Amino acid sequence: VPLKRGDLVMGVLSIEHPALSAFTEDDVQNLESLAAQAAVAIENASLFKATQKVTASLNLEDTFATICQVAVNYFKVDHSGLVLFDKDLRIGKVVSEFPKTGIEGSEIPLIGPAEEKLISEKKPLVVTDVPGESGFEPVRGILTDLGTCSILLVPILGKDRLLGSFGLDVMKGQRVFTDDEIELCKIFASQAAV
């Protein structure tokens, strides 16, 4: 029976018996239930380990780098980046990314429909088809150079203002981020606001 997180198979739970047809339909259902519980336990342990890794550093740059690296590994995406906004919400600066592609330090004008939506609504922004989305014109060059097909942008919120955004980039085809993934990504973003 597969151990699954959404559509991702994390492993297999197997039981064996020397007799043919030794297991009933109830046995199969019980094993499936146990596999689902085991998958949740593995997921929780993985998230706990990731959170410990992120909060272990007191250095802000190290914390940002760890958030990006852990997110890439945890969400199985191709790239992650963290952008901090100026106080006037006109310019964003890429302060960390994983893996390194050379965009760290780049300044991004916060104009255009995608950025304005993130700023005004302060809610995650999911775009499954980045090349077909017209709202990314100010950052089209960066996204094209990265080869981004799908993106999840989550606002980094401080006590009284928007501090920046945390993004997950998928380059190997389109991806639909689940509600659970979006919620977990919000946790990663909140670590950057601390």
Side-chain angles (χ1 to χ4, degrees):
V1 176
L3 298 172
K4 294 175 77 175
R5 178 182 88 187
D7 292 333
L8 176 68
V9 176
M10 302 169 12
V12 176
L13 183 59
S14 174
I15 59 172
E16 298 177 19
H17 193 279
L20 292 175
S21 302
F23 302 110
T24 66
E25 192 60 39
D26 284 343
D27 292 332
V28 172
Q29 287 179 349
N30 287 335
L31 189 61
E32 287 173 342
S33 177
L34 183 60
Q37 292 173 11
V40 168
I42 292 167
E43 178 83 6
N44 288 342
S46 177
L47 185 58
F48 178 72
K49 185 176 178 181
T51 302
Q52 280 186 316
K53 203 175 199 181
V54 167
T55 58
S57 175
L58 296 177
N59 178 305
L60 204 52
E61 289 176 12
D62 290 345
T63 298
F64 292 162
T66 301
I67 289 170
C68 290
Q69 182 176 1
V70 169
V72 165
N73 296 328
Y74 185 81
F75 292 103
K76 308 287 187 236
V77 295
D78 303 304
H79 182 263
S80 173
L82 202 146
V83 177
L84 294 182
F85 299 165
D86 69 356
K87 289 182 181 178
D88 297 327
L89 301 177
R90 292 188 182 155
I91 300 289
K93 184 175 182 179
V94 180
V95 295
S96 192
E97 65 168 328
F98 185 84
K100 301 285 186 198
T101 65
I103 64 168
E104 196 168 311
S106 297
E107 291 191 349
I108 300 167
L110 301 177
I111 55 172
E115 292 83 2
E116 289 171 0
K117 183 175 183 177
L118 185 75
I119 290 169
S120 66
E121 295 181 7
K122 297 178 181 70
K123 293 181 181 175
L125 178 63
V126 180
V127 179
T128 305
D129 180 18
V130 170
E133 175 66 40
S134 61
F136 284 107
E137 290 317 314
V139 292
R140 175 76 56 208
I142 291 173
L143 296 174
T144 299
D145 289 347
L146 286 174
T148 303
C149 295
S150 297
I151 194 167
L152 166 59
L153 293 174
V154 177
I156 300 171
L157 302 170
K159 290 181 183 174
D160 57 352
R161 70 182 192 96
L162 181 63
L163 302 173
S165 68
F166 175 63
L168 302 178
D169 301 301
V170 177
M171 285 100 159
K172 298 172 184 149
Q174 293 182 352
R175 175 167 171 180
V176 176
F177 289 95
T178 67
D179 290 341
D180 287 343
E181 289 174 323
I182 294 167
E183 288 304 313
L184 288 171
C185 198
K186 287 163 78 175
I187 293 170
F188 278 78
S190 71
Q191 293 297 315
V194 174

